[in-house]
Amino acid sequence: MKRSQQFFLVREDVLSESMLKVLKAKTLLERGKAENVTEAVKKVGLSRSAFYKYRDGIFPFHKVVKENIVTLLFHLEDRRGTLTKLLDIVAKAGCNVLTIHQTIPLQGRANVTLSIDTSGMVIDINQLLDNFKKLEAVDQVDMIGSGGL
């Protein structure tokens, strides 16, 4: 019986040194800075066995998000045109809006949840989040899920 896989989002500072080195080695290989695994692990100071142990289980976040659905939660000031600005940022990033949910503004604040398809995204997910945070009316933006893993 095949066991279902679970995925977790983990901050970089809690990863083991070996896992971080695996990511560095994979990056060297992807960018052509190392010709093979032996050369890549030597450059980052990692054993081949550790590389093979983790290589299929750890990925940079932007690689996981690519080709997936991402759900974002925004805490906003209730200002005219804010939703339009959010949607403009989504469109300019090459994403497609799948769902929008907005609460009724209370005490000058509202929450908006956007589910977006990132398969056509032309910028990094971190840049997308930064673009949202630059809007005056955005108090907070959180990624509350990503699907299609």
Side-chain angles (χ1 to χ4, degrees):
M1 179 186 279
K2 188 175 179 181
R3 193 173 144 212
S4 67
Q5 293 183 334
Q6 290 185 334
F7 293 87
F8 300 92
L9 183 61
V10 180
R11 270 192 348 258
E12 179 181 19
D13 64 323
V14 298
L15 291 175
S16 71
E17 184 178 346
S18 294
M19 289 179 178
L20 291 170
K21 287 181 178 182
V22 167
L23 286 170
K24 288 178 185 176
K26 287 173 71 170
T27 300
L28 290 174
L29 290 165
E30 287 172 7
R31 294 184 176 167
K33 305 275 184 186
E35 289 187 32
N36 53 44
V37 172
T38 302
E39 185 180 339
V41 297
K42 188 178 279 188
K43 285 184 175 185
V44 299
L46 182 69
S47 70
R48 285 174 44 95
S49 62
F51 177 84
Y52 286 113
K53 178 180 181 179
Y54 294 120
R55 75 171 178 178
D56 294 327
I58 187 163
F59 308 94
F61 183 66
H62 65 88
K63 295 263 187 208
V64 175
V65 172
K66 207 71 169 164
E67 311 275 345
N68 286 305
I69 297 168
V70 173
T71 303
L72 303 167
L73 174 63
F74 297 87
H75 301 279
L76 307 170
E77 293 179 24
D78 183 25
R79 291 189 190 178
R80 184 174 316 153
T82 300
L83 184 56
T84 301
K85 290 176 184 175
L86 290 178
L87 297 177
D88 186 51
I89 290 171
V90 170
K92 286 180 180 173
C95 299
N96 185 39
V97 175
L98 301 173
T99 65
I100 302 172
H101 179 268
Q102 181 174 346
T103 61
I104 295 173
L106 296 172
Q107 298 178 346
R109 301 273 185 261
N111 292 329
V112 172
T113 304
L114 290 180
S115 293
I116 59 175
D117 178 356
T118 61
S119 61
M121 192 159 58
V122 295
I123 61 173
D124 181 83
I125 189 71
N126 294 316
Q127 182 62 51
L128 179 65
L129 296 173
D130 288 343
N131 291 346
F132 290 130
K133 291 173 185 176
K134 289 176 185 173
L135 295 176
E136 273 188 50
V138 174
D139 290 334
Q140 184 176 337
V141 58
D142 296 305
M143 188 171 327
I144 59 173
S146 72
L149 297 175

